[in-house]
Amino acid sequence: MSLPNNGDALVMLAAAVTLQLARSYNADELELMAAFFTVLGDNIALWLARLPQDNGESNQPCK
């Protein structure tokens, strides 16, 4: 999946997705999704922290 490389576009995309989700789910479901996406974001940050630094090594997924 390719995401926009523009910060403004990412913010607008996130806002649009948030509005669509808010209109489609109740408060309990939204609370669960919010917790899930928080954990997902934390795990992505942790994964990135263990990738090799930019010393000529590629950022391919770790095996």
Side-chain angles (χ1 to χ4, degrees):
M1 179 170 127
S2 180
L3 294 175
N5 209 12
N6 177 324
D8 291 343
L10 285 174
V11 170
M12 291 175 23
L13 174 63
V17 170
T18 300
L19 288 171
Q20 185 62 40
L21 290 173
R23 291 178 179 151
S24 302
Y25 296 94
N26 66 39
D28 289 336
E29 293 167 324
L30 290 170
E31 186 177 359
L32 182 60
M33 278 190 271
F36 171 79
F37 288 123
T38 297
V39 171
L40 179 66
D42 289 346
N43 282 322
I44 290 171
L46 182 60
W47 184 266
L48 288 173
R50 64 182 291 265
L51 287 178
Q53 298 301 313
D54 273 4
N55 57 1
E57 299 180 46
S58 77
N59 279 340
Q60 296 299 316
C62 296
K63 295 183 180 181

Coordinates of all heavy atoms in Angstrom, one line a residue:
M1 N 0.8 -1.2 0.0 CA 0.0 0.0 0.0 C 0.9 1.2 0.0 O 1.8 1.3 0.7 CB -0.9 0.0 1.2 CG -1.8 1.2 1.4 SD -3.0 0.9 2.7 CE -2.7 2.4 3.6
S2 N 0.6 2.2 -0.8 CA 1.3 3.4 -0.9 C 0.5 4.5 -0.3 O -0.6 4.8 -0.7 CB 1.7 3.7 -2.4 OG 2.4 4.9 -2.5
L3 N 1.1 5.2 0.7 CA 0.5 6.4 1.3 C 1.0 7.7 0.7 O 2.1 7.7 0.2 CB 0.8 6.4 2.8 CG 0.1 5.2 3.6 CD1 0.6 5.3 5.0 CD2 -1.4 5.3 3.5
P4 N 0.2 8.7 0.7 CA 0.7 10.0 0.2 C 2.0 10.4 1.0 O 2.1 10.2 2.2 CB -0.4 11.0 0.5 CG -1.6 10.2 0.8 CD -1.1 8.8 1.3
N5 N 2.9 11.0 0.3 CA 4.2 11.5 0.9 C 4.1 12.9 1.4 O 5.0 13.4 1.9 CB 5.3 11.4 -0.2 CG 6.6 11.1 0.4 OD1 6.7 10.8 1.6 ND2 7.7 11.3 -0.3
N6 N 2.9 13.5 1.4 CA 2.7 14.8 1.8 C 2.0 14.8 3.2 O 1.0 14.2 3.4 CB 1.8 15.5 0.8 CG 1.4 16.9 1.1 OD1 1.2 17.2 2.3 ND2 1.2 17.7 0.1
G7 N 2.6 15.5 4.2 CA 2.0 15.5 5.5 C 0.6 16.0 5.6 O -0.2 15.5 6.3
D8 N 0.3 17.1 4.8 CA -1.1 17.6 4.8 C -2.1 16.6 4.3 O -3.2 16.4 4.8 CB -1.2 18.9 4.0 CG -0.4 20.0 4.6 OD1 -0.1 20.0 5.8 OD2 -0.2 21.0 3.8
A9 N -1.7 15.9 3.3 CA -2.5 14.8 2.7 C -2.8 13.7 3.7 O -3.9 13.2 3.7 CB -1.9 14.3 1.4
L10 N -1.8 13.3 4.4 CA -2.0 12.3 5.4 C -3.0 12.7 6.5 O -3.8 12.0 7.0 CB -0.7 11.9 6.0 CG 0.2 11.0 5.2 CD1 1.6 10.8 5.8 CD2 -0.4 9.7 4.9
V11 N -2.8 14.0 7.0 CA -3.7 14.5 8.0 C -5.2 14.5 7.5 O -6.1 14.1 8.2 CB -3.3 15.9 8.4 CG1 -4.4 16.6 9.3 CG2 -2.0 15.8 9.2
M12 N -5.4 15.0 6.2 CA -6.7 15.0 5.6 C -7.3 13.6 5.4 O -8.4 13.4 5.7 CB -6.7 15.8 4.3 CG -6.4 17.3 4.6 SD -6.2 18.4 3.3 CE -6.9 17.8 1.9
L13 N -6.4 12.7 5.0 CA -6.8 11.3 4.9 C -7.3 10.7 6.2 O -8.3 10.1 6.3 CB -5.7 10.4 4.3 CG -6.0 8.9 4.2 CD1 -7.2 8.7 3.3 CD2 -4.7 8.2 3.7
A14 N -6.5 11.0 7.3 CA -6.9 10.5 8.6 C -8.2 11.1 9.1 O -9.0 10.4 9.7 CB -5.7 10.8 9.6
A15 N -8.4 12.4 8.8 CA -9.6 13.0 9.2 C -10.8 12.4 8.5 O -11.9 12.2 9.1 CB -9.5 14.5 9.0
A16 N -10.7 12.2 7.2 CA -11.7 11.6 6.4 C -12.1 10.2 6.9 O -13.3 9.8 7.0 CB -11.4 11.6 4.9
V17 N -11.1 9.4 7.2 CA -11.3 8.0 7.7 C -12.0 8.1 9.0 O -12.9 7.4 9.3 CB -10.0 7.2 7.7 CG1 -10.2 5.9 8.5 CG2 -9.5 7.0 6.3
T18 N -11.5 9.0 9.9 CA -12.1 9.2 11.2 C -13.6 9.5 11.1 O -14.5 8.9 11.8 CB -11.4 10.3 12.0 OG1 -10.0 9.9 12.2 CG2 -12.0 10.5 13.4
L19 N -14.0 10.5 10.2 CA -15.4 10.9 10.1 C -16.2 9.7 9.6 O -17.3 9.5 10.0 CB -15.5 12.0 9.1 CG -15.0 13.4 9.7 CD1 -15.0 14.4 8.5 CD2 -15.9 13.8 10.8
Q20 N -15.7 8.9 8.6 CA -16.4 7.8 8.1 C -16.6 6.7 9.2 O -17.7 6.2 9.3 CB -15.7 7.2 6.9 CG -16.4 6.1 6.2 CD -17.8 6.5 5.7 OE1 -17.9 7.6 5.1 NE2 -18.8 5.7 5.8
L21 N -15.6 6.5 10.0 CA -15.7 5.5 11.1 C -16.7 6.0 12.1 O -17.6 5.2 12.6 CB -14.4 5.2 11.7 CG -13.4 4.4 10.9 CD1 -12.0 4.4 11.6 CD2 -13.9 3.0 10.6
A22 N -16.6 7.3 12.5 CA -17.5 7.8 13.5 C -19.0 7.8 13.1 O -19.9 7.6 13.9 CB -17.1 9.3 13.8
R23 N -19.3 7.8 11.8 CA -20.6 7.8 11.3 C -21.1 6.3 11.2 O -22.3 6.1 11.0 CB -20.7 8.4 9.9 CG -20.5 9.9 10.0 CD -20.6 10.5 8.6 NE -20.4 12.0 8.7 CZ -19.9 12.7 7.7 NH1 -19.5 12.2 6.6 NH2 -19.8 14.0 7.9
S24 N -20.2 5.4 11.2 CA -20.6 4.0 10.9 C -20.6 3.1 12.1 O -21.1 2.0 12.1 CB -19.6 3.4 9.9 OG -19.5 4.1 8.7
Y25 N -20.0 3.5 13.3 CA -19.9 2.7 14.5 C -20.4 3.4 15.7 O -20.3 4.7 15.8 CB -18.5 2.2 14.6 CG -18.0 1.3 13.5 CD1 -17.3 1.9 12.4 CD2 -18.2 0.0 13.5 CE1 -16.9 1.1 11.4 CE2 -17.8 -0.8 12.5 CZ -17.1 -0.3 11.4 OH -16.7 -1.1 10.4
N26 N -20.8 2.7 16.7 CA -21.2 3.3 18.0 C -20.0 3.6 18.9 O -18.9 3.2 18.5 CB -22.3 2.4 18.7 CG -21.7 1.1 19.2 OD1 -20.6 1.0 19.6 ND2 -22.5 0.0 19.0
A27 N -20.3 4.2 20.0 CA -19.2 4.7 20.9 C -18.3 3.5 21.4 O -17.1 3.6 21.5 CB -19.8 5.5 22.1
D28 N -19.0 2.4 21.8 CA -18.2 1.2 22.3 C -17.3 0.7 21.2 O -16.1 0.3 21.5 CB -19.1 0.1 22.8 CG -19.9 0.5 24.0 OD1 -19.4 1.4 24.8 OD2 -20.9 -0.1 24.3
E29 N -17.8 0.6 20.0 CA -17.0 0.1 18.9 C -15.8 1.0 18.6 O -14.7 0.6 18.3 CB -17.8 -0.2 17.6 CG -18.8 -1.3 17.8 CD -19.9 -1.3 16.7 OE1 -20.3 -0.2 16.2 OE2 -20.3 -2.4 16.3
L30 N -16.1 2.3 18.6 CA -15.1 3.3 18.3 C -14.0 3.3 19.4 O -12.8 3.4 19.1 CB -15.7 4.7 18.2 CG -16.5 5.0 17.0 CD1 -17.3 6.3 17.1 CD2 -15.7 5.0 15.7
E31 N -14.4 3.1 20.7 CA -13.4 3.0 21.7 C -12.5 1.8 21.5 O -11.3 1.9 21.7 CB -14.2 2.9 23.1 CG -13.3 3.0 24.3 CD -14.0 2.9 25.6 OE1 -15.3 2.9 25.6 OE2 -13.4 2.9 26.6
L32 N -13.0 0.7 21.2 CA -12.2 -0.5 20.9 C -11.3 -0.2 19.7 O -10.1 -0.6 19.8 CB -13.1 -1.7 20.6 CG -12.4 -3.0 20.4 CD1 -11.6 -3.4 21.6 CD2 -13.4 -4.1 20.1
M33 N -11.8 0.4 18.6 CA -10.9 0.7 17.5 C -9.8 1.6 17.9 O -8.7 1.5 17.4 CB -11.8 1.3 16.3 CG -12.4 0.2 15.5 SD -13.1 0.9 14.0 CE -14.7 1.4 14.6
A34 N -10.1 2.7 18.7 CA -9.1 3.6 19.1 C -8.0 2.9 19.9 O -6.8 3.2 19.6 CB -9.7 4.7 19.9
A35 N -8.4 2.0 20.8 CA -7.4 1.3 21.5 C -6.5 0.4 20.6 O -5.3 0.3 20.7 CB -8.1 0.4 22.6
F36 N -7.2 -0.3 19.6 CA -6.5 -1.1 18.7 C -5.5 -0.3 17.9 O -4.3 -0.7 17.7 CB -7.5 -1.8 17.7 CG -6.8 -2.5 16.6 CD1 -6.2 -3.8 16.8 CD2 -6.7 -1.9 15.4 CE1 -5.6 -4.4 15.8 CE2 -6.1 -2.6 14.3 CZ -5.5 -3.9 14.5
F37 N -5.9 0.8 17.4 CA -5.0 1.6 16.5 C -3.8 2.2 17.4 O -2.7 2.4 16.8 CB -5.8 2.7 15.8 CG -6.6 2.2 14.7 CD1 -8.0 2.4 14.6 CD2 -6.0 1.4 13.7 CE1 -8.7 1.9 13.6 CE2 -6.8 0.9 12.6 CZ -8.2 1.1 12.6
T38 N -4.1 2.5 18.6 CA -3.0 2.9 19.5 C -2.0 1.8 19.7 O -0.7 2.1 19.5 CB -3.5 3.3 20.9 OG1 -4.4 4.4 20.7 CG2 -2.4 3.7 21.9
V39 N -2.4 0.6 19.9 CA -1.5 -0.5 20.0 C -0.8 -0.8 18.7 O 0.4 -1.0 18.7 CB -2.2 -1.8 20.5 CG1 -1.4 -3.0 20.4 CG2 -2.8 -1.6 21.9
L40 N -1.5 -0.7 17.6 CA -0.9 -0.9 16.3 C 0.2 0.1 16.0 O 1.3 -0.2 15.6 CB -2.0 -0.8 15.2 CG -1.5 -0.9 13.7 CD1 -1.0 -2.3 13.5 CD2 -2.6 -0.6 12.8
G41 N -0.1 1.4 16.3 CA 0.9 2.5 16.2 C 2.1 2.2 17.0 O 3.3 2.4 16.6
D42 N 1.9 1.8 18.3 CA 3.0 1.6 19.2 C 3.9 0.4 18.7 O 5.1 0.4 18.7 CB 2.5 1.2 20.6 CG 2.0 2.5 21.3 OD1 2.2 3.6 20.9 OD2 1.3 2.3 22.4
N43 N 3.2 -0.6 18.2 CA 4.0 -1.8 17.6 C 4.8 -1.4 16.4 O 5.9 -1.9 16.2 CB 3.0 -2.9 17.3 CG 2.7 -3.7 18.6 OD1 3.5 -3.9 19.5 ND2 1.4 -4.1 18.7
I44 N 4.2 -0.6 15.5 CA 5.0 -0.1 14.4 C 6.2 0.7 14.8 O 7.3 0.5 14.3 CB 4.1 0.7 13.4 CG1 3.0 -0.2 12.8 CG2 4.9 1.4 12.4 CD1 2.0 0.6 12.0
A45 N 6.0 1.6 15.8 CA 7.2 2.3 16.3 C 8.2 1.4 16.9 O 9.4 1.6 16.7 CB 6.7 3.3 17.3
L46 N 7.8 0.4 17.6 CA 8.8 -0.6 18.2 C 9.5 -1.3 17.1 O 10.7 -1.5 17.1 CB 8.0 -1.5 19.1 CG 8.8 -2.6 19.8 CD1 9.9 -1.9 20.7 CD2 8.0 -3.5 20.6
W47 N 8.7 -1.7 16.0 CA 9.3 -2.4 14.9 C 10.4 -1.6 14.2 O 11.5 -2.0 13.9 CB 8.3 -2.8 13.9 CG 8.8 -3.6 12.8 CD1 9.2 -3.2 11.6 CD2 9.0 -5.0 12.7 NE1 9.6 -4.2 10.8 CE2 9.5 -5.4 11.5 CE3 8.8 -6.1 13.7 CZ2 9.8 -6.7 11.1 CZ3 9.1 -7.4 13.3 CH2 9.6 -7.7 12.1
L48 N 10.1 -0.3 14.0 CA 11.0 0.6 13.4 C 12.2 0.8 14.2 O 13.4 1.0 13.7 CB 10.3 2.0 13.1 CG 9.3 2.0 12.0 CD1 8.6 3.3 11.9 CD2 10.0 1.7 10.6
A49 N 12.1 0.8 15.5 CA 13.2 1.1 16.5 C 14.2 -0.1 16.4 O 15.4 0.1 16.6 CB 12.7 1.2 17.9
R50 N 13.8 -1.3 16.0 CA 14.7 -2.4 15.9 C 15.3 -2.6 14.5 O 16.1 -3.5 14.3 CB 14.1 -3.7 16.4 CG 12.9 -4.2 15.7 CD 12.3 -5.4 16.3 NE 13.2 -6.6 16.2 CZ 13.1 -7.5 15.2 NH1 12.2 -7.4 14.3 NH2 13.9 -8.5 15.2
L51 N 14.8 -1.8 13.5 CA 15.4 -1.9 12.2 C 16.8 -1.3 12.2 O 17.1 -0.4 13.0 CB 14.5 -1.2 11.2 CG 13.2 -1.8 10.8 CD1 12.5 -0.9 9.8 CD2 13.4 -3.2 10.2
P52 N 17.7 -1.8 11.3 CA 19.0 -1.2 11.2 C 18.9 0.2 10.8 O 18.1 0.7 10.1 CB 19.6 -2.0 10.0 CG 18.7 -3.1 9.7 CD 17.4 -2.9 10.3
Q53 N 19.8 1.0 11.4 CA 19.9 2.4 11.1 C 20.4 2.7 9.7 O 20.9 1.8 9.1 CB 20.8 3.1 12.1 CG 20.3 3.0 13.5 CD 18.9 3.6 13.7 OE1 18.6 4.7 13.3 NE2 18.0 2.9 14.4
D54 N 20.3 3.9 9.2 CA 20.8 4.2 7.8 C 22.3 4.2 7.8 O 22.9 5.2 7.8 CB 20.2 5.6 7.4 CG 18.9 5.6 6.8 OD1 18.3 4.5 6.8 OD2 18.4 6.6 6.4
N55 N 22.8 3.0 7.6 CA 24.3 2.9 7.4 C 24.5 2.1 6.2 O 25.5 1.3 6.2 CB 24.9 2.3 8.7 CG 24.3 0.9 9.0 OD1 23.4 0.5 8.4 ND2 24.8 0.3 10.1
G56 N 23.7 2.3 5.2 CA 23.8 1.6 4.0 C 23.0 0.3 3.9 O 22.9 -0.3 2.8
E57 N 22.4 -0.1 5.0 CA 21.6 -1.3 5.0 C 20.2 -0.9 4.5 O 19.7 0.2 4.8 CB 21.5 -1.9 6.4 CG 22.8 -2.3 6.9 CD 22.7 -2.9 8.3 OE1 21.8 -3.7 8.5 OE2 23.5 -2.6 9.2
S58 N 19.5 -1.8 3.8 CA 18.2 -1.5 3.4 C 17.1 -1.6 4.5 O 17.4 -2.3 5.5 CB 17.8 -2.4 2.2 OG 17.4 -3.7 2.7
N59 N 16.0 -1.0 4.3 CA 14.9 -1.1 5.3 C 13.9 -2.1 4.9 O 12.8 -1.9 5.0 CB 14.2 0.3 5.5 CG 15.0 1.2 6.4 OD1 15.8 0.8 7.2 ND2 14.7 2.5 6.3
Q60 N 14.4 -3.3 4.5 CA 13.6 -4.4 4.2 C 13.1 -5.0 5.5 O 13.7 -4.9 6.5 CB 14.3 -5.4 3.4 CG 14.8 -4.9 2.0 CD 13.6 -4.5 1.1 OE1 12.6 -5.2 1.1 NE2 13.7 -3.4 0.5
P61 N 11.9 -5.6 5.5 CA 11.4 -6.2 6.7 C 12.5 -7.2 7.3 O 13.2 -7.9 6.6 CB 10.2 -7.0 6.3 CG 9.8 -6.3 5.0 CD 11.0 -5.8 4.4
C62 N 12.6 -7.2 8.7 CA 13.5 -8.1 9.4 C 12.9 -9.5 9.2 O 11.8 -9.7 9.2 CB 13.6 -7.7 10.8 SG 14.3 -6.1 11.1
K63 N 13.9 -10.4 9.2 CA 13.5 -11.9 9.1 C 13.9 -12.6 10.3 O 14.8 -12.2 11.0 CB 14.1 -12.5 7.9 CG 13.6 -11.9 6.6 CD 14.2 -12.6 5.4 CE 13.6 -11.9 4.1 NZ 14.1 -12.5 2.9

